[in-house]
Amino acid sequence: DAGVIQSPRHEVTEMGQEVTLRCKPISGHNSLFWYRQTMMRGLELLIYFNNNVPIDDSGMPEDRFSAKMPNASFSTLKIQPSEPRDSAVYFCASRKGTSGYEQYFGPGTRLTVT
Amino acid sequence: SQQGEEDPQALSIQEGENATMNCSYKTSINNLQWYRQNSGRGLVHLILIRSNEREKHSGRLRVTLDTSKKSSSLLITASRAADTASYFCATDSWQGGSEKLVFGKGTKLTVNP
């Protein structure tokens, strides 16, 4: 199995631009998570999906952030408009089943907003 | 605020020594998980311990859970330079009718050869 795939691996953009991060979970996993990691705030859960349905989006910072999961093999995290404080590493993770199983993390997307 | 808080924030030891990291949390949990992150990489799951378990082993890893004290510890025995990484605990709990997953800020472990 290829593991969780994220693209792009690095993204540099200017403030105000739209940014779209992509994730392909492990086949057969039905839960998908988006995290943001910064030195100051650590690893924060932004949103998670179960069977393509958003279950908890309380971690999404503000309306500039949106996430979709149109099917079991693809998810996007969009930031529009982007701001310098959005600079972070964004991780996608997937999991088989619900509570009680481990998460498998992708390699992350390093986002820099100038 | 973060549910899991690791202690210490940083730990430096010599190869062959044991490393102990602690995690404290605030609410009742379903399970607690430990993950490892090498610099610039994604997190890798190490071990999961359920709320009704007290101790679990996996190779050189030993995890304990004390639900009365709301704390867990990760022990790495006979450490190696390759164990250098950041280690995170993550709590899995039910709050407000939905599952909550919260990671701590991690312990940065350096194992000197």
Side-chain angles (χ1 to χ4, degrees):
Chain A
D1 199 319
V4 176
I5 299 172
Q6 291 187 247
S7 65
R9 293 293 309 276
H10 302 272
E11 177 82 32
V12 180
T13 190
E14 292 185 348
M15 183 173 65
Q17 296 298 305
E18 177 179 297
V19 174
T20 299
L21 311 181
R22 297 173 176 79
C23 175
K24 177 179 169 57
I26 293 173
S27 177
H29 285 192
N30 59 356
S31 294
L32 183 140
F33 306 81
W34 282 101
Y35 291 91
R36 176 174 68 177
Q37 186 176 39
T38 61
M39 289 294 292
M40 289 296 295
R41 299 177 65 88
L43 192 67
E44 303 173 279
L45 176 64
L46 301 177
I47 185 171
Y48 84 89
F49 296 83
N50 189 44
N51 293 324
N52 312 338
V53 176
I55 301 300
D56 184 1
D57 65 354
S58 60
M60 295 286 263
E62 49 200 91
D63 292 346
R64 296 184 298 107
F65 285 69
S66 62
K68 293 183 180 179
M69 192 164 186
N71 57 62
S73 59
F74 184 65
S75 177
T76 59
L77 178 67
K78 187 175 293 186
I79 308 172
Q80 165 64 16
S82 58
E83 297 181 3
R85 61 191 168 122
D86 301 330
S87 297
V89 181
Y90 290 80
F91 288 103
C92 175
S94 71
R95 181 180 71 183
K96 175 181 68 173
T98 55
S99 176
Y101 291 89
E102 65 266 32
Q103 297 178 51
Y104 292 80
F105 281 75
T109 294
R110 182 173 294 276
L111 174 65
T112 303
V113 183
T114 60
Chain B
S1 63
Q2 292 285 346
Q3 161 86 311
E5 296 289 341
E6 291 90 342
D7 166 55
Q9 292 185 348
L11 180 62
S12 182
I13 59 174
Q14 294 300 121
E15 209 165 23
E17 294 180 340
N18 295 341
T20 299
M21 290 159 270
N22 303 297
C23 172
S24 60
Y25 57 92
K26 298 174 183 174
T27 67
S28 296
I29 60 172
N30 299 326
N31 63 74
L32 186 145
Q33 302 173 37
W34 285 92
Y35 288 80
R36 163 193 170 131
Q37 184 180 34
N38 287 78
S39 181
R41 308 288 291 272
L43 280 73
V44 175
H45 180 263
L46 295 176
I47 200 163
L48 180 152
I49 187 165
R50 302 183 194 283
S51 59
N52 61 352
E53 297 176 312
R54 292 295 167 260
E55 189 171 311
K56 213 163 181 181
H57 297 255
S58 177
R60 293 184 296 113
L61 305 181
R62 173 178 169 250
V63 168
T64 62
L65 179 64
D66 187 334
T67 53
S68 66
K69 294 182 179 178
K70 291 185 169 59
S71 68
S72 174
S73 67
L74 170 66
L75 168 68
I76 303 174
T77 59
S79 64
R80 306 166 182 167
D83 294 328
T84 295
S86 290
Y87 292 82
F88 296 85
C89 69
T91 55
D92 187 325
S93 60
W94 287 101
Q95 296 177 36
S98 66
E99 184 184 7
K100 292 291 183 185
L101 293 154
V102 182
F103 281 77
K105 290 194 174 182
T107 292
K108 187 170 185 178
L109 173 66
T110 302
V111 181
N112 301 299

